[in-house]
Amino acid sequence: MIHDGAGPSGMGTEPAGWMFGSAEAGATEPPATVVPITISDAASAVESLPMTDQRNRSAEAHAGVLKPGCSSRGVESAFMLSLPEISDRLEIQQLLVDYASAIDQRRFDDLDRVFTPDAYIDYRAMGGIDGQYPQVKAWLAEVLPHFGAYYHLVGNFDLRLAGDTASGRTMCFNPMQLNKDGQVLFCALWYEDDFIRTPTGWRIARRVEAKCLDKLV
């Protein structure tokens, strides 16, 4: 007769009566401590040991994972983003994409749904101008059509939410074709933004460019 325990052979086919601590298969005297010999029973036994749970919680607390009074089983709920925060983050990320889409498709009026009417914008780090949104919008509509092609790839959205306001730092890669000969200016930068929640959604209230590098090829 055999059972499905995982004995010394590792094959799970040890003779009936075998257990850890037996002198030999079929021993009649039980060992001092009977250890479960199925994988699931062994895992449950280890999990139930007080020192195991204490060791895990100590390691988590040392790593700054647990809040005071929070058990290891409460970590997920204690540090999970709320649905409103998830929604706010996704809305702001979409706002940043909407900016790039409006610029790249030369739909400059779409920027009215990206910036507040009195937003401050500073493009001087990459050779542009600074000023209030209406002034900068008019400048974009005048200058950008002179470039044959360009795009704005945005990513690494680093956002900090604080109720109805937020701040963020977003990476942008922006190649721009300068002439028909194929010269391209590669621009790498960050957008440092302040956001505000309005009755019609999140808007950029302040944008300042920070230069990483540019290269003419």
Side-chain angles (χ1 to χ4, degrees), residues 21-56:
S22 297
E24 60 183 1
T28 57
E29 292 295 328
T33 302
V34 177
V35 180
I37 56 178
T38 65
I39 295 176
S40 59
D41 287 347
S44 298
V46 172
E47 181 68 21
S48 67
L49 293 176
M51 63 183 299
T52 301
D53 184 58
Q54 182 178 4
R55 182 169 60 251
N56 290 341

mmCIF file of all heavy atoms in Angstrom, residues 21-56:
data_model
loop_
_atom_site.group_PDB
_atom_site.id
_atom_site.type_symbol
_atom_site.label_atom_id
_atom_site.label_comp_id
_atom_site.label_asym_id
_atom_site.label_seq_id
_atom_site.Cartn_x
_atom_site.Cartn_y
_atom_site.Cartn_z
ATOM 1 N N GLY A 21 11.521 10.638 10.369
ATOM 2 C CA GLY A 21 11.973 10.253 11.702
ATOM 3 C C GLY A 21 11.927 8.763 11.931
ATOM 4 O O GLY A 21 12.425 8.277 12.936
ATOM 5 N N SER A 22 11.278 7.983 11.022
ATOM 6 C CA SER A 22 11.249 6.533 11.179
ATOM 7 C C SER A 22 12.621 5.965 10.915
ATOM 8 O O SER A 22 13.354 6.433 10.040
ATOM 9 C CB SER A 22 10.242 5.915 10.198
ATOM 10 O OG SER A 22 8.939 6.372 10.477
ATOM 11 N N ALA A 23 12.951 4.916 11.635
ATOM 12 C CA ALA A 23 14.250 4.272 11.399
ATOM 13 C C ALA A 23 14.260 3.601 10.058
ATOM 14 O O ALA A 23 15.280 3.534 9.385
ATOM 15 C CB ALA A 23 14.551 3.262 12.507
ATOM 16 N N GLU A 24 13.122 3.098 9.613
ATOM 17 C CA GLU A 24 13.028 2.446 8.324
ATOM 18 C C GLU A 24 11.572 2.442 7.895
ATOM 19 O O GLU A 24 10.678 2.713 8.685
ATOM 20 C CB GLU A 24 13.572 1.019 8.407
ATOM 21 C CG GLU A 24 12.817 0.151 9.410
ATOM 22 C CD GLU A 24 13.408 -1.232 9.522
ATOM 23 O OE1 GLU A 24 14.410 -1.486 8.819
ATOM 24 O OE2 GLU A 24 12.887 -2.051 10.279
ATOM 25 N N ALA A 25 11.335 2.141 6.622
ATOM 26 C CA ALA A 25 9.969 2.097 6.137
ATOM 27 C C ALA A 25 9.186 1.057 6.910
ATOM 28 O O ALA A 25 9.666 -0.037 7.167
ATOM 29 C CB ALA A 25 9.954 1.750 4.647
ATOM 30 N N GLY A 26 7.965 1.398 7.329
ATOM 31 C CA GLY A 26 7.114 0.459 8.042
ATOM 32 C C GLY A 26 7.387 0.418 9.522
ATOM 33 O O GLY A 26 6.905 -0.476 10.213
ATOM 34 N N ALA A 27 8.165 1.329 10.079
ATOM 35 C CA ALA A 27 8.468 1.335 11.500
ATOM 36 C C ALA A 27 7.192 1.450 12.303
ATOM 37 O O ALA A 27 6.277 2.176 11.941
ATOM 38 C CB ALA A 27 9.412 2.481 11.835
ATOM 39 N N THR A 28 7.137 0.703 13.394
ATOM 40 C CA THR A 28 5.918 0.713 14.217
ATOM 41 C C THR A 28 5.962 1.789 15.274
ATOM 42 O O THR A 28 4.916 2.227 15.753
ATOM 43 C CB THR A 28 5.721 -0.657 14.874
ATOM 44 O OG1 THR A 28 6.884 -0.980 15.653
ATOM 45 C CG2 THR A 28 5.512 -1.737 13.806
ATOM 46 N N GLU A 29 7.165 2.229 15.667
ATOM 47 C CA GLU A 29 7.279 3.272 16.670
ATOM 48 C C GLU A 29 7.253 4.634 15.987
ATOM 49 O O GLU A 29 8.091 4.934 15.150
ATOM 50 C CB GLU A 29 8.591 3.116 17.462
ATOM 51 C CG GLU A 29 8.638 1.888 18.332
ATOM 52 C CD GLU A 29 7.598 1.952 19.437
ATOM 53 O OE1 GLU A 29 7.299 3.072 19.894
ATOM 54 O OE2 GLU A 29 7.079 0.885 19.844
ATOM 55 N N PRO A 30 6.274 5.500 16.303
ATOM 56 C CA PRO A 30 6.238 6.836 15.676
ATOM 57 C C PRO A 30 7.380 7.703 16.169
ATOM 58 O O PRO A 30 7.875 7.505 17.271
ATOM 59 C CB PRO A 30 4.882 7.398 16.147
ATOM 60 C CG PRO A 30 4.629 6.699 17.455
ATOM 61 C CD PRO A 30 5.204 5.317 17.289
ATOM 62 N N PRO A 31 7.852 8.602 15.348
ATOM 63 C CA PRO A 31 8.911 9.523 15.774
ATOM 64 C C PRO A 31 8.381 10.469 16.824
ATOM 65 O O PRO A 31 7.174 10.592 17.027
ATOM 66 C CB PRO A 31 9.273 10.266 14.488
ATOM 67 C CG PRO A 31 8.009 10.222 13.693
ATOM 68 C CD PRO A 31 7.386 8.886 14.005
ATOM 69 N N ALA A 32 9.303 11.171 17.475
ATOM 70 C CA ALA A 32 8.913 12.107 18.530
ATOM 71 C C ALA A 32 8.026 13.209 17.979
ATOM 72 O O ALA A 32 7.085 13.645 18.622
ATOM 73 C CB ALA A 32 10.166 12.694 19.181
ATOM 74 N N THR A 33 8.321 13.707 16.772
ATOM 75 C CA THR A 33 7.519 14.761 16.144
ATOM 76 C C THR A 33 7.118 14.294 14.756
ATOM 77 O O THR A 33 7.975 13.981 13.933
ATOM 78 C CB THR A 33 8.311 16.079 16.013
ATOM 79 O OG1 THR A 33 8.722 16.479 17.310
ATOM 80 C CG2 THR A 33 7.446 17.163 15.374
ATOM 81 N N VAL A 34 5.823 14.238 14.512
ATOM 82 C CA VAL A 34 5.342 13.819 13.204
ATOM 83 C C VAL A 34 5.200 15.035 12.322
ATOM 84 O O VAL A 34 4.466 15.978 12.662
ATOM 85 C CB VAL A 34 3.982 13.095 13.320
ATOM 86 C CG1 VAL A 34 3.478 12.727 11.926
ATOM 87 C CG2 VAL A 34 4.131 11.869 14.202
ATOM 88 N N VAL A 35 5.917 15.090 11.211
ATOM 89 C CA VAL A 35 5.874 16.218 10.290
ATOM 90 C C VAL A 35 4.989 15.851 9.109
ATOM 91 O O VAL A 35 5.169 14.781 8.517
ATOM 92 C CB VAL A 35 7.289 16.577 9.782
ATOM 93 C CG1 VAL A 35 7.221 17.753 8.819
ATOM 94 C CG2 VAL A 35 8.192 16.885 10.959
ATOM 95 N N PRO A 36 4.017 16.693 8.729
ATOM 96 C CA PRO A 36 3.180 16.367 7.562
ATOM 97 C C PRO A 36 4.045 16.130 6.339
ATOM 98 O O PRO A 36 5.031 16.821 6.119
ATOM 99 C CB PRO A 36 2.316 17.620 7.399
ATOM 100 C CG PRO A 36 2.322 18.252 8.755
ATOM 101 C CD PRO A 36 3.665 17.954 9.329
ATOM 102 N N ILE A 37 3.670 15.179 5.529
ATOM 103 C CA ILE A 37 4.535 14.793 4.432
ATOM 104 C C ILE A 37 3.944 15.074 3.061
ATOM 105 O O ILE A 37 4.506 14.671 2.062
ATOM 106 C CB ILE A 37 4.908 13.305 4.549
ATOM 107 C CG1 ILE A 37 3.640 12.443 4.609
ATOM 108 C CG2 ILE A 37 5.799 13.067 5.733
ATOM 109 C CD1 ILE A 37 3.922 10.951 4.666
ATOM 110 N N THR A 38 2.801 15.742 3.014
ATOM 111 C CA THR A 38 2.332 16.214 1.719
ATOM 112 C C THR A 38 2.755 17.647 1.563
ATOM 113 O O THR A 38 2.930 18.372 2.552
ATOM 114 C CB THR A 38 0.800 16.110 1.590
ATOM 115 O OG1 THR A 38 0.203 16.997 2.525
ATOM 116 C CG2 THR A 38 0.322 14.700 1.825
ATOM 117 N N ILE A 39 2.926 18.108 0.332
ATOM 118 C CA ILE A 39 3.406 19.477 0.089
ATOM 119 C C ILE A 39 2.465 20.510 0.678
ATOM 120 O O ILE A 39 2.879 21.459 1.338
ATOM 121 C CB ILE A 39 3.585 19.706 -1.421
ATOM 122 C CG1 ILE A 39 4.691 18.800 -1.956
ATOM 123 C CG2 ILE A 39 3.883 21.167 -1.721
ATOM 124 C CD1 ILE A 39 4.892 18.877 -3.449
ATOM 125 N N SER A 40 1.153 20.318 0.468
ATOM 126 C CA SER A 40 0.192 21.304 0.960
ATOM 127 C C SER A 40 0.162 21.342 2.473
ATOM 128 O O SER A 40 0.095 22.416 3.090
ATOM 129 C CB SER A 40 -1.203 21.005 0.413
ATOM 130 O OG SER A 40 -1.619 19.705 0.803
ATOM 131 N N ASP A 41 0.222 20.152 3.126
ATOM 132 C CA ASP A 41 0.224 20.113 4.585
ATOM 133 C C ASP A 41 1.485 20.736 5.155
ATOM 134 O O ASP A 41 1.454 21.459 6.154
ATOM 135 C CB ASP A 41 0.098 18.662 5.069
ATOM 136 C CG ASP A 41 -1.309 18.106 4.870
ATOM 137 O OD1 ASP A 41 -2.220 18.914 4.603
ATOM 138 O OD2 ASP A 41 -1.476 16.889 4.978
ATOM 139 N N ALA A 42 2.625 20.471 4.504
ATOM 140 C CA ALA A 42 3.878 21.035 4.979
ATOM 141 C C ALA A 42 3.868 22.552 4.879
ATOM 142 O O ALA A 42 4.301 23.255 5.792
ATOM 143 C CB ALA A 42 5.048 20.458 4.184
ATOM 144 N N ALA A 43 3.342 23.074 3.771
ATOM 145 C CA ALA A 43 3.281 24.526 3.597
ATOM 146 C C ALA A 43 2.387 25.156 4.645
ATOM 147 O O ALA A 43 2.699 26.211 5.214
ATOM 148 C CB ALA A 43 2.779 24.860 2.193
ATOM 149 N N SER A 44 1.249 24.506 4.940
ATOM 150 C CA SER A 44 0.330 25.029 5.946
ATOM 151 C C SER A 44 0.969 25.019 7.315
ATOM 152 O O SER A 44 0.797 25.950 8.113
ATOM 153 C CB SER A 44 -0.963 24.206 5.953
ATOM 154 O OG SER A 44 -1.621 24.294 4.715
ATOM 155 N N ALA A 45 1.720 23.959 7.611
ATOM 156 C CA ALA A 45 2.356 23.857 8.914
ATOM 157 C C ALA A 45 3.392 24.950 9.110
ATOM 158 O O ALA A 45 3.476 25.578 10.168
ATOM 159 C CB ALA A 45 3.001 22.477 9.064
ATOM 160 N N VAL A 46 4.202 25.192 8.086
ATOM 161 C CA VAL A 46 5.231 26.234 8.184
ATOM 162 C C VAL A 46 4.590 27.605 8.340
ATOM 163 O O VAL A 46 5.028 28.442 9.133
ATOM 164 C CB VAL A 46 6.139 26.201 6.945
ATOM 165 C CG1 VAL A 46 7.090 27.390 6.943
ATOM 166 C CG2 VAL A 46 6.935 24.899 6.915
ATOM 167 N N GLU A 47 3.511 27.842 7.584
ATOM 168 C CA GLU A 47 2.835 29.134 7.626
ATOM 169 C C GLU A 47 2.260 29.414 9.003
ATOM 170 O O GLU A 47 2.177 30.550 9.445
ATOM 171 C CB GLU A 47 1.721 29.179 6.573
ATOM 172 C CG GLU A 47 0.962 30.496 6.505
ATOM 173 C CD GLU A 47 1.809 31.642 6.002
ATOM 174 O OE1 GLU A 47 2.831 31.369 5.345
ATOM 175 O OE2 GLU A 47 1.464 32.807 6.281
ATOM 176 N N SER A 48 1.848 28.329 9.702
ATOM 177 C CA SER A 48 1.200 28.503 11.000
ATOM 178 C C SER A 48 2.184 28.713 12.138
ATOM 179 O O SER A 48 1.781 29.043 13.251
ATOM 180 C CB SER A 48 0.325 27.274 11.306
ATOM 181 O OG SER A 48 1.134 26.122 11.489
ATOM 182 N N LEU A 49 3.473 28.503 11.909
ATOM 183 C CA LEU A 49 4.455 28.688 12.974
ATOM 184 C C LEU A 49 4.526 30.152 13.382
ATOM 185 O O LEU A 49 4.717 31.025 12.545
ATOM 186 C CB LEU A 49 5.839 28.218 12.507
ATOM 187 C CG LEU A 49 5.975 26.709 12.248
ATOM 188 C CD1 LEU A 49 7.355 26.405 11.691
ATOM 189 C CD2 LEU A 49 5.735 25.923 13.538
ATOM 190 N N PRO A 50 4.389 30.478 14.673
ATOM 191 C CA PRO A 50 4.408 31.886 15.115
ATOM 192 C C PRO A 50 5.678 32.610 14.729
ATOM 193 O O PRO A 50 5.659 33.752 14.325
ATOM 194 C CB PRO A 50 4.268 31.765 16.642
ATOM 195 C CG PRO A 50 3.647 30.424 16.871
ATOM 196 C CD PRO A 50 4.161 29.543 15.768
ATOM 197 N N MET A 51 6.821 31.932 14.837
ATOM 198 C CA MET A 51 8.083 32.605 14.548
ATOM 199 C C MET A 51 8.198 32.948 13.070
ATOM 200 O O MET A 51 8.845 33.926 12.707
ATOM 201 C CB MET A 51 9.265 31.733 14.971
ATOM 202 C CG MET A 51 9.385 30.405 14.229
ATOM 203 S SD MET A 51 10.750 29.407 14.842
ATOM 204 C CE MET A 51 12.131 30.489 14.511
ATOM 205 N N THR A 52 7.540 32.170 12.184
ATOM 206 C CA THR A 52 7.581 32.471 10.757
ATOM 207 C C THR A 52 6.866 33.772 10.470
ATOM 208 O O THR A 52 7.365 34.663 9.775
ATOM 209 C CB THR A 52 6.927 31.340 9.949
ATOM 210 O OG1 THR A 52 7.617 30.129 10.209
ATOM 211 C CG2 THR A 52 6.965 31.651 8.457
ATOM 212 N N ASP A 53 5.663 33.939 11.027
ATOM 213 C CA ASP A 53 4.895 35.160 10.809
ATOM 214 C C ASP A 53 5.608 36.355 11.418
ATOM 215 O O ASP A 53 5.652 37.435 10.839
ATOM 216 C CB ASP A 53 3.505 35.015 11.419
ATOM 217 C CG ASP A 53 2.622 36.214 11.129
ATOM 218 O OD1 ASP A 53 2.426 36.513 9.939
ATOM 219 O OD2 ASP A 53 2.153 36.856 12.087
ATOM 220 N N GLN A 54 6.202 36.142 12.609
ATOM 221 C CA GLN A 54 6.916 37.238 13.256
ATOM 222 C C GLN A 54 8.136 37.652 12.442
ATOM 223 O O GLN A 54 8.419 38.836 12.285
ATOM 224 C CB GLN A 54 7.344 36.804 14.663
ATOM 225 C CG GLN A 54 8.070 37.912 15.452
ATOM 226 C CD GLN A 54 8.427 37.447 16.842
ATOM 227 O OE1 GLN A 54 8.206 36.302 17.207
ATOM 228 N NE2 GLN A 54 8.986 38.348 17.635
ATOM 229 N N ARG A 55 8.859 36.650 11.895
ATOM 230 C CA ARG A 55 10.041 36.961 11.097
ATOM 231 C C ARG A 55 9.655 37.730 9.833
ATOM 232 O O ARG A 55 10.298 38.695 9.455
ATOM 233 C CB ARG A 55 10.764 35.663 10.730
ATOM 234 C CG ARG A 55 12.046 35.888 9.933
ATOM 235 C CD ARG A 55 12.852 34.605 9.832
ATOM 236 N NE ARG A 55 12.121 33.553 9.166
ATOM 237 C CZ ARG A 55 11.641 32.467 9.772
ATOM 238 N NH1 ARG A 55 11.809 32.291 11.077
ATOM 239 N NH2 ARG A 55 10.981 31.536 9.078
ATOM 240 N N ASN A 56 8.555 37.293 9.180
ATOM 241 C CA ASN A 56 8.116 37.989 7.977
ATOM 242 C C ASN A 56 7.711 39.420 8.273
ATOM 243 O O ASN A 56 8.040 40.348 7.540
ATOM 244 C CB ASN A 56 6.942 37.236 7.339
ATOM 245 C CG ASN A 56 7.376 35.917 6.737
ATOM 246 O OD1 ASN A 56 8.554 35.726 6.478
ATOM 247 N ND2 ASN A 56 6.432 35.016 6.547
#
